Amino acid sequence: MQTIGAAWLYPLILACGALQAWGPPMNGALRQALGNPWLASVVSFLPVVALLGILFLCLPRPMPTAAGVAGMPWWAPLGGVIGAFAVVAGLLFVDRVGAGVFGGLTITANILMSLAIDHFGLLGMPEHGLNLGRVLGGVLMVAGIALVAAF
């Protein structure tokens, strides 16, 4: 369990997670309007790039150091590409399976992969070993999405 000092982050993280549920239906509507899923993906990312570019121009510090860039794992800049898979999947599939099933599947897969990342300390994360509670939580996620998909 994380320290109590970080507890104020939980409502913010929950709000961000709730907002993530809006993305696939919004992107699905964008794909339907534009017809081309690849153009819709580009259009979906343009406001993100613009917003982050403006924030960087307003808040350019700290700048990266040469040592930081040289010591960066080769895979570190690919997080956005990995995130793009979820965006494209939402563009293509959310209207076929529904927002609940799409969100449930992506969140359940995220939890299960996150448990593996934590357990093995992958991608530079500190190790947080599996225990009965974490395994049970993963099993309940799978059971929960099975129920959402079935009904």
Side-chain angles (χ1 to χ4, degrees), residues 50-139:
L51 173 65
L52 294 176
I54 290 167
L55 287 172
F56 173 70
L57 290 173
C58 293
L59 304 165
R61 303 282 185 273
M63 291 295 286
T65 64
V69 173
M72 176 177 62
W74 67 267
W75 43 261
L78 301 178
V81 173
I82 298 299
F85 284 108
V87 171
V88 172
L91 282 161
L92 296 173
F93 308 130
V94 71
D95 57 340
R96 295 181 189 174
V97 299
V101 172
F102 183 85
L105 287 171
T106 57
I107 292 166
T108 300
N110 182 304
I111 292 293
L112 296 175
M113 182 56 71
S114 295
L115 288 172
I117 289 169
D118 278 351
H119 180 73
F120 295 109
L122 302 174
L123 304 171
M125 295 299 297
E127 288 185 23
H128 296 278
L130 285 176
N131 57 38
L132 182 60
R134 289 179 144 229
V135 170
L136 183 58
V139 168

Side-chain angles (χ1 to χ4, degrees), residues 10-78:
Y10 291 5
L12 179 62
I13 293 168
L14 286 170
C16 291
L19 287 174
Q20 277 187 318
W22 294 13
M26 294 168 85
N27 285 331
L30 181 63
R31 180 193 42 86
Q32 286 181 343
L34 298 180
N36 183 319
W38 312 118
L39 175 61
S41 296
V42 170
V43 170
S44 178
F45 279 104
L46 287 177
V48 175
V49 172
L51 173 65
L52 294 176
I54 290 167
L55 287 172
F56 173 70
L57 290 173
C58 293
L59 304 165
R61 303 282 185 273
M63 291 295 286
T65 64
V69 173
M72 176 177 62
W74 67 267
W75 43 261
L78 301 178

